[in-house]
Amino acid sequence: MAAETAIATSEEAVLVKSLVERSRKAQAQIENYSQEQVDELITAMVWSVARQDVAEKIAKFTVEETQLGNYDGKFLKIFKKTRAALFDIIDDKSVGILEDDKERNIVKIAKPVGVIGALTPCTNPEATPVIKAISAVKGRNSIIIAPHPRSKLTNKMICDLMREALKACGAPEDLVISMDSPSMEGTAELMKQCDRILATGGAPMVTSAYSSGTPALGVGAGNAVITVDDTADLDEAAEKIRISKTLDLAASCSSDNAVIAFESNVEALLEKLQAKGGYICSAEEKAKLQSIIWEDGHIAPRIVAQPASVLAEMAGIDLPDEKTFFIVPETGTGPEHPFSGEKMSVVMAFYTVKDIDGAIAMTNAIQAYQGQGHSCGIYSYSDENIMKFAYATKTSRVMVNQPQAASNSGNLWNGMRQTFSLGCGSWGGNSTNNNITWRDLINETWVSKPLAVTKVIPSDDVLFGKVMAKFK
């Protein structure tokens, strides 16, 4: 049954109602917690999963359950990404007065939303529940996490660890609840009953979130496009493209799906990418890959986040042992050129253009097909090219000289907010462009006092002077 039309059975509706009631009761108990108390809770929650031995166990278990990605990628996310997410928000003020705007004489006070209903994907099931949970609790909310069925045991393991941490701090365990037997119908019911939805997952589920009747924060499809201009350090670019393309076997929506090179550096870049583990496909091999990646116009689940060697075996390609990702030469965009879209695998399309104008046009054409609003990257040391690219592309994020998959959602080397929920703005059908974090999961009360000096509307000559002559 499609997510948009999923209808919960009476038994599922009752079960979800009981979860929401438990969650709401727990949230009420921390509604008046101090900043210090809140920050202790989220610190304990991260520590419960990010300890070396625990992180190793989670990473191993996640790969075993989902058969997606690899141990190294999962370990980095649960061990390092969760730490970085905590570090990013721990000093934020989320209780009491957030802002005191003296000029407008307005004070903004933080208030919790209530029960957050969170949807998490099977491609990033290890750190996503943690980051969503600490964002919720940072705002003095509770959270119910509905995982993809393929990662339900991983989700339960992680939520149980966080619940133990909450209990150790004297807080109610039900601030974090795992939906242990997820279904489309049950998740749809959760979205109806919670106070705000934080949806990360496939397009049908995000669409369902927006149509649930509950305020929702969703994400758009990824299809990151990377430009390498004629000022780039090609060694740097090749290594960072490799990192992004192969991180957790491209489970991330921010993985490089297409690389655009200038004519002047295309041969040198391809040579360096091959030295980093890239394998350039022939026309015949391209057709073979296409036959296994898509089924009836959709990405085949069996190819998602799999090693290059597995894809090669499926496709009947003789891949050298040292090769870890595929490079597919491409010229066109749209449905007739499926490699221009998201691939969720260690496969990237490769385009050649003349200059920055060509790169902008190609990026926009690719993302008009898939991924508009999500993200782009550029390897360049020309501020003129960087800013021209940023102004002219329809994107929420432009990563400059950074591995895209490891940077869009925040990292220690940039100032992006740490999250796994990337809003794509109106371009991607989302209500926000934000890297979604705790500030998106609170209500704010604005206290307005009279100004010391009342504002005076200026005369028409002053206010309309520049346009008045046009109406004579």
Side-chain angles (χ1 to χ4, degrees):
M1 185 181 294
E4 301 94 316
T5 58
I7 300 174
T9 65
S10 58
E11 184 178 344
E12 285 174 321
V14 169
L15 174 61
V16 171
K17 182 180 179 182
S18 70
L19 294 181
V20 172
E21 287 175 350
R22 285 168 50 195
S23 185
R24 204 172 295 289
K25 182 178 178 181
Q27 189 275 325
Q29 293 179 59
I30 70 160
E31 188 154 0
N32 295 311
Y33 264 30
S34 67
Q35 189 71 66
E36 183 180 11
Q37 288 175 301
V38 166
D39 291 342
E40 180 187 43
L41 296 187
I42 64 172
T43 302
M45 290 162 67
V46 173
W47 180 240
S48 72
V49 299
R51 302 192 305 273
Q52 177 90 22
D53 58 334
V54 178
E56 290 172 354
K57 179 182 177 182
I58 292 172
K60 183 174 183 293
F61 187 86
T62 303
V63 175
E64 289 174 351
E65 182 188 18
T66 66
Q67 296 296 300
L68 296 169
N70 57 21
Y71 171 84
D72 289 343
K74 302 300 183 192
F75 178 77
L76 273 175
K77 291 176 186 178
I78 196 66
F79 180 78
K80 189 175 182 181
K81 180 69 174 180
T82 58
R83 280 175 163 79
L86 174 66
F87 178 66
D88 190 49
I89 68 172
I90 194 61
D91 292 328
D92 289 352
K93 184 172 176 53
S94 63
V95 176
I97 295 174
L98 299 182
E99 297 178 29
D100 186 355
D101 187 335
K102 300 295 185 184
E103 182 178 351
R104 291 182 175 270
N105 213 2
I106 290 174
V107 172
K108 300 178 185 178
I109 303 172
K111 306 282 184 67
V113 165
V115 176
I116 307 300
L119 284 57
T120 62
C122 58
T123 47
N124 289 302
E126 63 299 300
T128 304
V130 182
I131 294 172
K132 288 188 174 185
I134 65 172
S135 292
V137 174
K138 180 76 174 182
R140 293 175 293 169
N141 303 294
S142 57
I143 188 168
I144 301 173
I145 302 174
H148 188 283
R150 189 169 177 174
S151 56
K152 65 181 182 180
L153 298 180
T154 297
N155 190 71
K156 177 172 171 51
M157 174 189 289
I158 290 168
C159 288
D160 283 350
L161 288 165
M162 291 191 288
R163 286 169 61 85
E164 291 173 10
L166 290 165
K167 184 178 180 180
C169 293
E173 297 169 89
D174 282 347
L175 287 173
V176 175
I177 294 177
S178 166
M179 184 176 279
D180 293 340
S181 299
S183 66
M184 284 188 175
E185 295 80 11
T187 299
E189 187 65 27
L190 172 64
M191 290 190 291
K192 292 177 184 177
Q193 295 193 31
C194 70
D195 298 310
R196 184 163 297 175
I197 303 166
L198 184 50
T200 306
M205 192 56 78
V206 172
T207 299
S208 181
Y210 279 129
S211 60
S212 67
T214 301
L217 293 163
V219 300
N223 190 24
V225 181
I226 316 303
T227 289
V228 183
D229 79 1
D230 52 1
T231 71
D233 179 327
L234 297 187
D235 288 309
E236 174 190 35
E239 172 60 8
K240 290 181 177 179
I241 289 170
R242 179 200 68 79
I243 290 170
S244 182
K245 185 71 265 184
T246 61
L247 178 64
D248 201 18
L249 300 180
S252 168
C253 59
S254 296
S255 179
D256 299 12
N257 274 283
V259 170
I260 300 172
F262 281 21
E263 289 176 352
S264 58
N265 63 20
V266 62
E267 295 302 328
L269 178 60
L270 282 172
E271 183 179 334
K272 292 181 184 297
L273 286 171
Q274 289 179 85
K276 296 294 183 181
Y279 178 79
I280 301 177
C281 294
S282 65
E284 181 183 0
E285 291 167 333
K286 177 181 178 181
K288 288 180 176 180
L289 274 181
Q290 182 172 327
S291 71
I292 67 161
I293 294 176
W294 291 276
E295 292 179 343
D296 300 323
H298 301 285
I299 296 173
R302 70 180 183 276
I303 67 91
V304 174
Q306 299 300 311
S309 58
V310 171
L311 299 184
E313 185 176 354
M314 288 181 187
I317 295 173
D318 186 13
L319 185 72
D321 291 341
E322 71 276 9
K323 298 301 183 181
T324 57
F325 62 97
F326 294 93
I327 301 169
V328 179
E330 186 55 272
T331 56
T333 64
E336 300 303 314
H337 302 272
F339 284 97
S340 65
E342 188 174 27
K343 293 166 280 294
M344 299 188 73
S345 60
V346 287
V347 179
M348 70 182 189
F350 192 92
Y351 294 82
T352 302
V353 297
K354 182 178 180 181
D355 53 23
I356 192 65
D357 292 321
I360 290 167
M362 184 60 73
T363 297
N364 285 336
I366 291 170
Q367 295 196 322
Y369 171 47
Q370 284 183 9
Q372 191 166 268
H374 192 282
S375 61
C376 303
I378 183 168
Y379 290 93
S380 174
Y381 284 91
S382 164
D383 285 341
E384 181 181 354
N385 279 355
I386 292 167
M387 295 311 295
K388 187 173 187 179
F389 182 81
Y391 269 106
T393 50
K394 297 177 180 180
T395 187
S396 300
R397 297 159 195 84
V398 176
M399 296 298 108
V400 179
N401 298 325
Q402 300 174 65
Q404 194 85 4
S407 303
N408 271 345
S409 61
N411 214 306
L412 299 178
W413 52 70
N414 69 26
M416 301 294 289
R417 278 297 200 175
Q418 300 276 348
T419 187
F420 274 150
S421 302
L422 304 175
C424 299
S426 62
W427 300 302
N430 299 158
S431 58
T432 180
N433 294 97
N434 290 2
N435 278 22
I436 297 168
T437 184
W438 69 266
R439 190 72 185 256
D440 301 284
L441 302 179
I442 62 168
N443 291 315
E444 296 182 22
T445 296
W446 289 33
V447 181
S448 173
K449 295 180 180 179
L451 296 172
V453 178
T454 300
K455 290 178 284 189
V456 176
I457 298 175
S459 68
D460 285 357
D461 286 341
V462 173
L463 189 59
F464 301 110
K466 292 182 179 180
V467 301
M468 288 173 70
K470 298 179 184 294
F471 290 85
K472 290 181 179 178

